[in-house]
């Protein structure tokens, strides 16, 4: 009996061990097949499958490509952007093999929304768009006439980066799609979703109409409305039809100016657009958000009376005045053109942000928005033209118009605050410096009276633009993240200990946001191309000990290095028996390069293991623990 029980126990133990081994094996990636390069077909981190659905009455045929991403990994979206200098992660690219039996009709879009966050480590300030778990892309496809979809095989490939927390590996996975049922596409993803699109355009048009109506109450617009309506009523005598025709002609002139502006906005939009950019995606670029913030801030200053947009010179020329003074429909039309241009100092602060908004929209939206603004501005003329007796109901100009104008200025400043919330924090200070420079430039322009000669006004404009340009470029050059910035990781005693245990040379920069000398060192001595090259070449780990806020851990780390102040750059050689190299106070790029050369490169795996074994045998710590004092060598 006991022997039988022992046999059963051994059998159960064997089964348990086998199951445990299989579970453990399942948790590990297949490192045996890893080559570090491109792979085709299946992948242990990402797999793809595809099918296509045939066309219907209201939809073309659709190709669906589904990627399944292993836990702990992610791939980037098809619309993943890059920094202004072209640096950034690789967007997923899906291609279909050319074949006469089928043809792609549009770009791929994702059904599942990517996880979005701003990068704070490698591509600082860049919006990262990542897919995890499962994602399906779809694209419209056309099956050639006379070809049976059941006999079609669509082949292609997915080029992506499979990334975990430590590294990314490029992958190339092929797929073959056969006819299937496809899958439902959410309405907001469908190009032909009528309800969502119509509601969106109606909302935009309504805001444009409201903005146009508000413009009529600005100080340089409202008085003109009253004068022109009285003039048209006088020209028309008692004929309501004639009065209405004159107002319609005037409104047509107003509409002409705004359609010219719409064409300019559409032209700019087409000039900067890219096929991979969808609606609003231009707001993922930091340069665009900073530009919009600066534009709206300058327009707010105009509403608040700091400066005024100059009236176009040709609008006040003798020829323009002569055309506007003519009676009849043509004269009313010309007056509509010229009055709209004369209203630029008041309408500009409103149309400026509007112009900026439409840059990120398709041309059709641009024309709809500007047409709505024109309709709003023309509304008083159309209503009074139809009902001349209402002319006495027009509000009388007064101080309330300046109050309204100032309130709109504060509304624009609130928009600036909102736009700041969309900008990565690394760009806060340079953007703020740019706004102060624009403020000074606008003040410089505004202090020259409108009646001053053109030479004085031109000098103020040139001086203001030059000042804002110099300060703006200087601020972003000095305070914005550098493309030569090291791959800084947050400092902790554990991170330092782990890196040293792996045989790494470690460089720790003790710094703070309130330390001007620290920032100077980082800009002029540490985050430099030559230093980055040396750090990358020698596989040095860079840790940033940020003491901006109170931290007992960082304070203790400084005490361990016999220091109580910053800036301090500590370089730990890979050989744990060597002393820590310390660079204090103001340092140069040469000091950093010399210290890195003195510390030497990180050890390879074999050497690191030997060093670790020797240190363990000698009972020597691999890194100074919390509260321990490390041997140091002060270079400066």
């Amino acid at each position: 009996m006991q022997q039988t029980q022992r046999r059963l126990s051994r059998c159960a133990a064997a089964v348990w061990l086998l199951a445990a081994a299989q579970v453990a094996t399942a948790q590990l990636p297949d490192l045996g097949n890893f080559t570090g390069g491109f792979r085709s077909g299946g992948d242990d981190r990402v797999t793809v499958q595809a099918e296509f659905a045939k066309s219907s009455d209201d939809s073309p045929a659709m190709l669906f490509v589904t990627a399944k991403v292993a836990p702990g990994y992610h791939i980037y979206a098809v619309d993943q952007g890059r920094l202004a200098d072209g640096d950034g992660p690789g967007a997923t690219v899906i291609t279909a093999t050319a074949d006469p039996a089928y043809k792609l009709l549009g770009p791929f879009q994702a059904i599942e929304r990517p996880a979005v966050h701003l990068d704070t480590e490698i591509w600082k300030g860049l919006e990262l768009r990542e897919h995890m778990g499962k994602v399906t892309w779809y694209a419209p496809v056309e099956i050639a006439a006379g070809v049976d979809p059941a006999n079609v095989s669509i082949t292609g490939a997915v080029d992506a980066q499979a990334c975990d927390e430590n590294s990314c590996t490029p992958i190339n996975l092929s797929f073959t799609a056969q006819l299937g049922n496809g899958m439902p596409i959410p309405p907001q993803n469908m190009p032909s979703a009528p309800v969502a699109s119509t509601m969106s355009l109606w909302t935009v048009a309504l805001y444009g109409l409201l903005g146009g109506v508000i413009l009529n109450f600005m100080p340089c617009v409202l008085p003109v409305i009253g004068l022109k309506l009285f003039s048209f009523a006088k020209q028309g005598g008692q004929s309501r039809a004639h009065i209405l025709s004159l107002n319609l002609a005037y409104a047509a002139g107003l509409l002409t100016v705004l359609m010219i502006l719409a064409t300019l906005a559409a032209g700019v939009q087409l000039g900067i657009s890219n096929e991979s950019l969808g609606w609003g995606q231009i707001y993922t670029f930091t340069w665009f958000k900073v530009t919009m913030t600066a534009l709206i801030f300058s327009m707010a200053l105009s509403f608040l009376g700091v400066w005024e947009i100059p009236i176009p010179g040709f609008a006040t020329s003798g020829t323009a005045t002569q055309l506007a003074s003519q009676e009849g429909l043509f004269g009313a039309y010309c007056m509509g053109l010229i009055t709209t241009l004369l209203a630029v100092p008041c309408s500009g602060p409103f149309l400026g942000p509007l112009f900026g908004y439409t840059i990120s929209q398709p041309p059709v939206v641009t024309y709809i928005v500007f047409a709505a603004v024109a309709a709003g501005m023309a509304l008083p003329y159309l209503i009074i033209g139809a009902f001349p007796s209402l002319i006495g109901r027009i509000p009388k100009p007064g101080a309330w118009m300046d109050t309204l104008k100032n309130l709109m200025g504060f509304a624009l400043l609130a928009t600036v605050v909102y736009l700041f919330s969309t900008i990565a924090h690394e760009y806060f200070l340079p953007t703020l410096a740019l706004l102060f420079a624009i403020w000074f430039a606008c003040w410089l322009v505004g202090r020259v009276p409108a009646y001053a000669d053109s030479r004085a006004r031109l000098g103020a404009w040139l001086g203001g633009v030059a000042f804002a340009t110099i300060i703006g470029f200087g601020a972003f050059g000095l305070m914005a993240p550098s493309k030569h910035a090291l791959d800084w990781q947050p400092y902790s005693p554990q991170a330092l200990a782990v890196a040293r245990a792996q045989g790494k040379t470690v460089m720790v920069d003790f710094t703070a946001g309130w330390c001007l000398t620290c920032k100077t060192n980082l800009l002029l001595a540490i985050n430099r191309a030559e230093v980055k090259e040396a750090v990358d070449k020698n596989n040095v780990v860079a840790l940033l000990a940020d003491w901006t806020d109170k931290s007992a851990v960082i304070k203790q780390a400084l005490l361990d290095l016999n220091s109580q102040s910053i800036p301090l750059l500590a370089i730990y050689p890979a050989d744990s028996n060597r002393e820590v190299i310390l660079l204090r106070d103001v340092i140069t790029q040469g000091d950093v390069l010399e210290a890195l050369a003195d510390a030497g490169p990180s050890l390879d795996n074999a050497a690191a293991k030997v060093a670790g074994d020797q240190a363990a045998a000698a009972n020597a710590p691999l890194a100074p623990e919390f509260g321990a004092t490390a041997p140091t060598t002060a270079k400066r």
Side-chain angles (χ1 to χ4, degrees), residues 164-233:
D164 58 15
E165 293 183 355
N166 301 314
S167 62
C168 292
T169 302
I171 56 175
N172 178 271
L173 305 176
S174 59
F175 64 81
T176 300
Q178 305 287 346
L179 181 63
N181 297 324
M183 56 186 63
I185 301 174
Q188 62 268 23
N189 289 14
M190 288 293 289
S192 59
V195 175
S197 299
T198 303
M199 287 297 294
S200 175
L201 292 179
W202 273 113
T203 302
V204 171
L206 180 61
Y207 280 117
L209 181 69
L210 180 61
V213 172
I214 293 175
L215 283 179
N216 289 310
F217 296 97
M218 294 297 100
C220 44
V221 178
L222 183 60
V224 175
I225 293 178
L227 290 175
K228 292 317 302 173
L229 288 175
F230 279 114
S231 172
F232 293 156

Side-chain angles (χ1 to χ4, degrees), residues 73-264:
Y73 288 89
H74 67 264
I75 58 178
Y76 292 102
V78 292
D79 57 355
Q80 173 63 55
R82 289 177 172 264
L83 294 173
D85 60 1
D87 194 16
T92 297
V93 178
I94 309 171
T95 56
T97 306
D99 193 292
Y102 56 83
K103 179 177 65 174
L104 283 181
L105 299 179
F108 280 91
Q109 302 180 61
I111 293 179
E112 295 83 1
R113 294 180 181 271
V116 179
H117 65 95
L118 291 178
D119 185 49
T120 59
E121 298 179 358
I122 302 175
W123 304 289
K124 294 185 177 181
L126 178 65
E127 182 181 79
L128 298 182
R129 305 172 63 80
E130 301 167 348
H131 289 290
M132 290 156 280
K134 176 184 175 183
V135 56
T136 297
W137 300 278
Y138 66 95
V141 63
E142 179 182 38
I143 306 299
V147 176
D148 185 357
N151 298 327
V152 174
S153 295
I154 302 178
T155 60
V158 176
D159 289 289
Q161 289 182 338
C163 303
D164 58 15
E165 293 183 355
N166 301 314
S167 62
C168 292
T169 302
I171 56 175
N172 178 271
L173 305 176
S174 59
F175 64 81
T176 300
Q178 305 287 346
L179 181 63
N181 297 324
M183 56 186 63
I185 301 174
Q188 62 268 23
N189 289 14
M190 288 293 289
S192 59
V195 175
S197 299
T198 303
M199 287 297 294
S200 175
L201 292 179
W202 273 113
T203 302
V204 171
L206 180 61
Y207 280 117
L209 181 69
L210 180 61
V213 172
I214 293 175
L215 283 179
N216 289 310
F217 296 97
M218 294 297 100
C220 44
V221 178
L222 183 60
V224 175
I225 293 178
L227 290 175
K228 292 317 302 173
L229 288 175
F230 279 114
S231 172
F232 293 156
K234 184 178 179 180
Q235 287 186 47
Q238 301 300 318
S239 173
R240 177 178 296 182
H242 193 192
I243 295 174
L244 179 59
S245 64
L246 290 172
N247 281 276
L248 287 173
Y250 183 87
L254 183 153
L255 179 63
T256 300
V257 174
L258 288 174
M259 287 298 98
I260 291 174
L261 293 176
T263 301
L264 292 175

